[in-house]
Every structure is written in structure tokens, then in C-alpha cells.
Amino acid sequence: MSYTIELSRRRWLTQSIFELEFTNPDGLEFLPGQHIRFFFDGIDRDYTPVSLSNETTIKICVKKVDQPRLSDHFSRCPEGETFKIEGPFGHFLHQTANALDIFIGTGTGVAPFAAFACAGVKNFTLLQGARSPDELIY
């Protein structure tokens, strides 16, 4: 399904990674680990929400890339701008196991694991890669 969402907040987490918060449209339901597709100016990109679908806002984590890509636009667009999205997509969902879960992610790739934690997943180890300690997020 297609939805229109509005940017309500941008928060820089590092010098190159930021979190965007959008209005959560009625009817959009997704599971932690699924992604939504953004459309802008002929570009489409998938982002995994860090938030849960029952929250009033949708948060995504973005790494700024200095090229004419969506991430560059996201880094400077004004609050109140609207975007078309579709989704949810994907099957990267947490499966309960009898063993300790080990999650591995780098940069913004930790977004689904942050969503798992927000959903109440416990007893896991997260191995997070970054170029330097100040690039570690969440």
C-alpha cells in the first residue's frame, strides 16, 4: 500500500548518521525488521524503521551520502516535507530460539536490531561495527 508521511524531526546521531522522525499514517502496520520504501524524485530507497508500528511516529536511521541521493536530501530537507512510501516489505524478523541470539551490524545496519530491542527482545548480544567509537549509534 502507498502512504504519505511528513517529516517532523531530524536528529544527528554522529557526523554522518542521523535519525528522521515522520508522522505514522493510519493503517500502516509493520513488524520489527521489516522495511518501508521511500520514493523521491525518481529515486526509491528502503529503510528499516527503528520504531514500532504502534507508535505515533516512524523513526528511520540514515547515513548521509554526498551524492544526489535520497540520503543527501533527507539530511537537509525542511520539517513538514512529505514523502510517498510503500510497504511494509521483508521477512527479516526475530525468531525466538533456545540459544543466545547474536546480532551483527555496522552503521545504520543496526536499525532492525534496535527495533527488536524496542519490541522487547532480550538476552541477545549485539556486535556493532564502526570506523571509530563516535560512530556507534543506539
Side-chain angles (χ1 to χ4, degrees):
M1 287 194 71
S2 292
Y3 304 91
T4 299
I5 60 176
E6 181 178 313
L7 177 63
S8 55
R9 181 176 179 228
R10 179 185 305 103
R11 179 173 68 111
W12 287 90
L13 304 175
T14 71
Q15 288 185 3
S16 63
I17 298 175
F18 54 95
E19 183 179 80
L20 295 176
E21 193 170 312
F22 297 91
T23 56
N24 192 350
D26 290 337
L28 176 61
E29 294 184 18
F30 52 89
L31 298 171
Q34 288 187 304
H35 59 274
I36 54 179
R37 184 163 297 138
F38 283 78
F39 297 88
F40 175 77
D41 198 26
I43 299 170
D44 61 279
R45 294 285 184 268
D46 294 342
Y47 292 94
T48 300
V50 178
S51 52
L52 304 177
S53 68
N54 64 352
E55 296 179 23
T56 58
T57 60
I58 298 173
K59 295 178 185 173
I60 63 169
C61 187
V62 180
K63 179 172 178 70
K64 183 180 183 310
V65 179
D66 292 324
Q67 296 175 10
R69 295 185 178 179
L70 184 54
S71 66
D72 180 56
H73 182 74
F74 275 158
S75 73
R76 55 185 168 75
C77 66
E79 291 178 2
E81 184 164 341
T82 59
F83 294 89
K84 179 185 171 198
I85 63 167
E86 289 182 359
F89 302 101
H91 302 283
F92 187 66
L93 308 174
H94 180 261
Q95 303 292 322
T96 303
N98 292 329
L100 173 70
D101 289 324
I102 299 175
F103 302 143
I104 302 171
T106 61
T108 60
V110 302
F113 307 124
F116 292 164
C118 289
V121 173
K122 296 179 182 185
N123 300 322
F124 64 87
T125 296
L126 171 63
L127 303 175
Q128 183 177 4
R131 290 184 184 146
S132 64
D134 51 326
E135 289 187 357
L136 295 171
I137 57 174
Y138 300 122

